[in-house]
Amino acid sequence: GSCQGNSVERKIYIPLNKTAPCVRLLNATHQIGCQSSISGDTGVIHVVEKEEDLNWVLADGPHPPYMILLDGNLFNRRVMLQLKGTSRVSGLAVAIAKPNPPQGFSPGLKCPNDGFGVYSKDYGPQFAHCNKTVWNPVGSGLSYEDFDFPIFLLEDANETQVIKQCYQDHNVPRDGSGPEYPLCAMQLFSHMHAVTSTVTCMRRSSLQSTFSINPEVVCDPLLDYNVWSTLQPINSSGKVDPEKEVIIVATRIDSHSFFWNIAPGAESAVSSFVTHLAAAEALHKVSDVHSLQRNIMFTFFQGETFDYIGSSRMVYDMEKDKFPLRLDNIHSFVELNQVALRNDSILWMHTDPVSRMNESVDMQVRNLLDILSRSSMGANVTLREVEHSQPLPPSSFQRFLRARHIPGVVLTDHETAFQNRYYQSMYDTPENIRMQYPEGLSPEETLEYVTDTAKSLAEVATVVARALYRLAGGANNTSAIQADPKTVSRMLYGFLIKMNNSWFQSIIKPDIKGILGDVPQHYVAVSSPVNTTYLVQYVLANLTGTVVNLTKEECLNPEKTPSSEKEMYEYAWVQGSLDPNSTSRVPYCVRSTVHLSKALSPAFELRQWGSTEYSTWTESRWKEIRARIFLVASKELEIITLVVGIAILIFSLLATYFINAKADVLFSIPRDPGAVAY
């Protein structure tokens, strides 16, 4: 059998494998998040299920520092700031609240991306810093605090139960006095390499890269790729004709929460980009799209949660002539923001009151709103305009407005404050957008099951697709333009419940099938492209591209095929679905207009790490992240064990010395008595 050399460690420690840490992020001026000391932080476990339990940790308990197992309902700003102000706490493990906290929970800011949108002291100062409308009133700003102890999320209820059982067996106070040793303790490792700010950590990394053969990089910029495609193909390496007008449709595809890579983003991101993808599919099915006078560009921005990384980069590239489109080509802008939680099926149309003071912009915006309203006739969606004096909600459109007065509209399910009470939190899950499946369905049946949420988002996609067709100059009847609820259902299942499903498997390239994890997360991260980007790219190609009759060789090297128009199209050799009669797949070649463009903040391109114009978010590097529990003996017993150990060591050294000194006496060879000496 195989030899297990760490059996002693396995007898002492119980590792916690299903956890998510809070890590350190940095911007131009601050560091936020959490970290442990370099050797990990240890403390005696105390379970806190109601606020009174905190007294034991903060004052009464005789065995500080404590590791708190905190009930998810108590994970709020008030409790966290109490814990932050004491040395009696060495770390925190948070159990997920089930059901979701009814009062709402958002660790994001009340005014998301404040200072990086369009409103400032020079542009609509009365709207700057959410003076007019607080968009996320539930926001506690907890994600933007800096904690000097580790905080982990316990994702597995069974592991939470193991910790509670260990606490019950060893740590529960008896009759008001402290429990007896041994006590149940926890150790959390999450030491972060970067400190202070992006300016400091990027400077250190830069110096290391310059002077060291093995540079020790301490932080990395948040970066990824934007996904974009056009209704009519354009030369992606050239420039669009200055006369050609393009309508941009946009959504964000990333989200965030307090914990690293826990970003379900059901309402804050997925609902809108799924609706966007469904509208793109509906438009591509229309027969006369290639003769429309205006082109339509479908754009999916990455990193928007962190001060508009993706959109600010695209605007920068357009201004610097590094993108096929220029800002002058943009005819109008339609953005889908949070759209799943509509009241009475009302969709709100937000516009920018400042740019509308210009008469020609106002006229174009009115036309845009009029077309949208008319497109909702006969659909189960009511479009309403918000009051004229209200600013735009946090949106990618704001970055385009910073560069140019573009007529545009942002569609949301909220008139003023967000409907989403779990914005940027681990609770922004399928349940938050009321996705429900009947009991007992197999994964394949669940994938195909059309939920009410899917039907409602398909209605929004239908309205958007019809309006875009009209905006682009389409003259035919739009009643045939219809988004498919079945496609929306599959996308919601894939992006919110299980990425590793038969549909996603069939539409991606064989060499990236490893990205299909189980539970989808939509955090932008530092290694790119992330799963979400790849999947949005391939779903968009699948819904809007065409299957072409090329061999694998021709598909992978389209420049060798004369009729491929390589500048106009992208080609992908995808896995295809499983052959019903065997275990092999039937791959094929997809031709589409789907492209990726960099979503790295211009601040890093320009090496302006202290920029106030562009996002400067970086993520610290770390060596290891792990958590474990074990039994700890009393200090007295540890000291006695140490003293006895030292005494035994000294005794053995002395014994060795004396034995060595008298070795000739102790180990001399006795003489043979029969031998006679002369």
Side-chain angles (χ1 to χ4, degrees):
S2 66
C3 174
Q4 291 285 343
N6 63 348
S7 56
V8 174
E9 183 180 346
R10 292 210 326 275
K11 283 175 180 169
I12 297 172
Y13 299 107
I14 299 174
L16 303 171
N17 298 319
K18 294 292 291 280
T19 60
C22 153
V23 303
R24 176 170 288 164
L25 298 173
L26 309 100
N27 68 7
T29 51
H30 290 76
Q31 62 178 31
I32 62 169
C34 327
Q35 77 153 354
S36 73
S37 60
I38 198 160
S39 53
D41 287 331
T42 307
V44 172
I45 295 169
H46 192 73
V47 175
V48 174
E49 291 179 328
K50 47 190 191 299
E51 280 207 45
E52 299 82 78
D53 298 340
L54 283 171
N55 295 338
W56 184 262
V57 173
L58 298 173
D60 305 340
H63 307 119
Y66 284 97
M67 275 282 173
I68 299 173
L69 174 57
L70 189 69
D71 184 89
N73 288 301
L74 290 175
F75 184 54
N76 57 47
R77 187 177 180 86
R78 191 179 72 254
V79 169
M80 291 305 293
L81 291 185
Q82 269 182 281
L83 301 179
K84 190 178 173 179
T86 174
S87 58
R88 290 175 60 90
V89 174
S90 60
L92 209 63
V94 180
I96 294 179
K98 293 245 167 62
N100 292 355
Q103 70 280 11
F105 173 75
S106 170
L109 299 168
K110 289 188 189 303
C111 189
N113 290 0
D114 185 22
F116 289 86
V118 70
Y119 303 112
S120 65
K121 62 180 194 308
D122 307 317
Y123 187 100
Q126 68 275 31
F127 305 128
H129 314 303
C130 296
N131 282 342
K132 174 95 174 128
T133 311
V134 176
W135 295 107
N136 185 28
V138 187
S140 63
L142 205 53
S143 287
Y144 296 84
E145 289 289 329
D146 183 36
F147 295 94
D148 57 1
F149 51 77
I151 304 176
F152 278 55
L153 177 70
L154 300 171
E155 296 180 74
D156 185 351
N158 293 335
E159 287 191 343
T160 307
Q161 203 43 54
V162 167
I163 299 169
K164 285 185 176 175
Q165 194 56 54
C166 188
Y167 167 79
Q168 293 290 343
D169 295 346
H170 299 280
N171 295 11
V172 175
R174 312 274 177 220
D175 311 321
S177 63
E180 297 294 315
Y181 281 100
L183 297 173
C184 192
M186 187 187 294
Q187 189 171 27
L188 302 177
F189 297 84
S190 64
H191 181 65
M192 299 288 138
H193 294 178
V195 292
T196 312
S197 68
T198 289
V199 178
T200 306
C201 78
M202 287 300 288
R203 190 176 63 236
R204 284 180 183 171
S205 298
S206 174
L207 283 168
Q208 284 271 355
S209 306
T210 312
F211 297 112
S212 172
I213 301 167
N214 299 315
E216 177 82 21
V217 176
V218 292
C219 67
D220 302 282
L222 296 182
L223 81 155
D224 207 82
Y225 288 88
N226 298 322
V227 182
W228 64 275
S229 98
T230 50
L231 195 57
Q232 301 160 355
I234 61 171
N235 185 340
S236 61
S237 53
K239 288 282 172 284
V240 171
D241 183 24
E243 270 66 68
K244 185 68 178 171
E245 292 185 318
V246 179
I247 299 153
I248 292 190
V249 198
T251 41
R252 65 173 58 189
I253 56 174
D254 69 304
S255 187
H256 178 44
S257 82
F258 186 87
F259 298 98
W260 184 74
N261 208 22
I262 299 289
E267 158 76 338
S268 64
V270 178
S271 69
S272 53
F273 76 68
V274 159
T275 306
H276 185 170
L277 287 162
E281 181 193 32
L283 270 169
H284 269 269
K285 287 179 177 169
V286 180
S287 54
D288 63 335
V289 287
H290 289 288
S291 58
L292 293 175
Q293 70 181 86
R294 296 187 187 100
N295 203 345
I296 297 172
M297 176 169 146
F298 306 101
T299 319
F300 300 82
F301 291 120
Q302 253 298 7
E304 294 299 274
T305 309
F306 295 96
D307 301 337
Y308 306 119
I309 294 172
S311 53
S312 63
R313 179 54 186 257
M314 188 173 278
V315 172
Y316 173 82
D317 285 346
M318 285 179 176
E319 289 176 321
K320 296 279 182 275
D321 264 357
K322 294 179 179 177
F323 196 78
L325 255 69
R326 297 179 181 85
L327 288 165
D328 298 347
N329 291 116
I330 301 172
H331 168 267
S332 49
F333 199 103
V334 177
E335 180 167 354
L336 284 158
N337 223 313
Q338 308 179 66
V339 292
L341 298 175
R342 306 199 311 281
N343 277 341
D344 305 325
S345 63
I346 295 170
L347 199 60
W348 293 95
M349 302 184 287
H350 299 258
T351 56
D352 171 42
V354 182
S355 59
R356 285 184 71 178
M357 289 174 185
N358 176 317
E359 210 169 306
S360 75
V361 173
D362 187 50
M363 221 163 70
Q364 287 170 284
V365 172
R366 279 177 195 280
N367 178 46
L368 179 56
L369 300 179
D370 191 40
I371 288 173
L372 275 161
S373 299
R374 283 210 306 273
S375 302
S376 68
M377 303 287 184
N380 187 19
V381 180
T382 312
L383 278 142
R384 292 215 188 135
E385 194 183 343
V386 298
E387 89 174 73
H388 206 57
S389 63
Q390 187 175 290
L392 285 168
S395 50
S396 310
F397 179 39
Q398 293 201 26
R399 289 303 302 195
F400 283 79
L401 276 177
R402 277 176 82 130
R404 198 164 170 275
H405 282 185
I406 297 166
V409 62
V410 178
L411 302 174
T412 73
D413 55 22
H414 55 89
E415 182 183 8
T416 52
F418 296 162
Q419 296 276 18
N420 184 5
R421 291 174 306 128
Y422 304 108
Y423 183 74
Q424 287 183 12
S425 90
M426 55 202 172
Y427 301 115
D428 192 1
T429 54
E431 293 76 41
N432 186 32
I433 58 169
R434 308 176 189 135
M435 268 173 74
Q436 287 169 326
Y437 294 95
E439 296 278 316
L441 293 185
S442 70
E444 209 52 40
E445 289 166 335
T446 318
L447 172 68
E448 300 294 341
Y449 181 80
V450 180
T451 59
D452 290 343
T453 305
K455 289 176 192 162
S456 121
L457 291 178
E459 283 160 359
V460 176
T462 299
V463 171
V464 171
R466 289 175 181 176
L468 291 169
Y469 174 76
R470 282 267 176 268
L471 264 175
N476 294 345
N477 187 352
T478 57
S479 58
I481 301 176
Q482 199 77 42
D484 184 0
K486 214 166 187 53
T487 307
V488 177
S489 293
R490 286 169 154 198
M491 290 192 282
L492 287 173
Y493 179 78
F495 284 114
L496 285 174
I497 294 169
K498 192 168 192 271
M499 275 189 171
N500 199 2
N501 62 69
S502 59
W503 184 48
F504 278 6
Q505 286 164 10
S506 71
I507 63 172
I508 62 168
K509 287 180 176 178
D511 57 338
I512 58 162
K513 60 176 187 260
I515 66 164
L516 295 175
D518 252 0
V519 181
Q521 305 297 350
H522 307 291
Y523 170 62
V524 53
V526 293
S527 54
S528 61
V530 292
N531 308 6
T532 311
T533 307
Y534 271 133
L535 287 168
V536 168
Q537 179 189 2
Y538 287 106
V539 168
L540 185 57
N542 177 270
L543 298 180
T544 63
T546 45
V547 177
V548 285
N549 190 15
L550 294 178
T551 64
K552 182 177 181 180
E553 194 55 42
E554 290 168 333
C555 192
L556 295 175
N557 304 293
E559 62 278 356
K560 293 179 181 170
T561 312
S563 60
S564 72
E565 298 182 278
K566 175 78 180 89
E567 301 77 36
M568 311 297 272
Y569 296 102
E570 292 282 324
Y571 290 81
W573 184 255
V574 300
Q575 291 199 114
S577 30
L578 282 168
D579 189 337
N581 305 325
S582 73
T583 54
S584 63
R585 294 183 174 275
V586 187
Y588 56 92
C589 187
V590 175
R591 184 186 77 180
S592 71
T593 60
V594 180
H595 306 276
L596 296 181
S597 71
K598 241 185 188 172
L600 166 67
S601 168
F604 298 100
E605 202 87 341
L606 302 164
R607 293 174 71 88
Q608 294 174 0
W609 303 318
S611 172
T612 53
E613 166 83 1
Y614 297 114
S615 168
T616 53
W617 286 105
T618 51
E619 180 185 277
S620 173
R621 288 202 177 181
W622 58 81
K623 193 171 181 184
E624 63 171 348
I625 294 220
R626 60 193 172 100
R628 58 191 187 179
I629 62 171
F630 56 95
L631 292 180
V632 63
S634 69
K635 283 278 178 283
E636 291 80 5
L637 183 58
E638 285 178 347
I639 290 165
I640 291 166
T641 309
L642 180 67
V643 169
V644 168
I646 291 169
I648 290 170
L649 175 67
I650 292 168
F651 174 75
S652 52
L653 286 171
L654 289 171
T656 308
Y657 173 76
F658 282 118
I659 290 168
N660 200 32
K662 305 290 183 188
D664 53 335
V665 177
L666 293 170
F667 304 115
S668 61
I669 300 164
R671 288 180 183 174
D672 187 349
V676 180
Y678 290 97

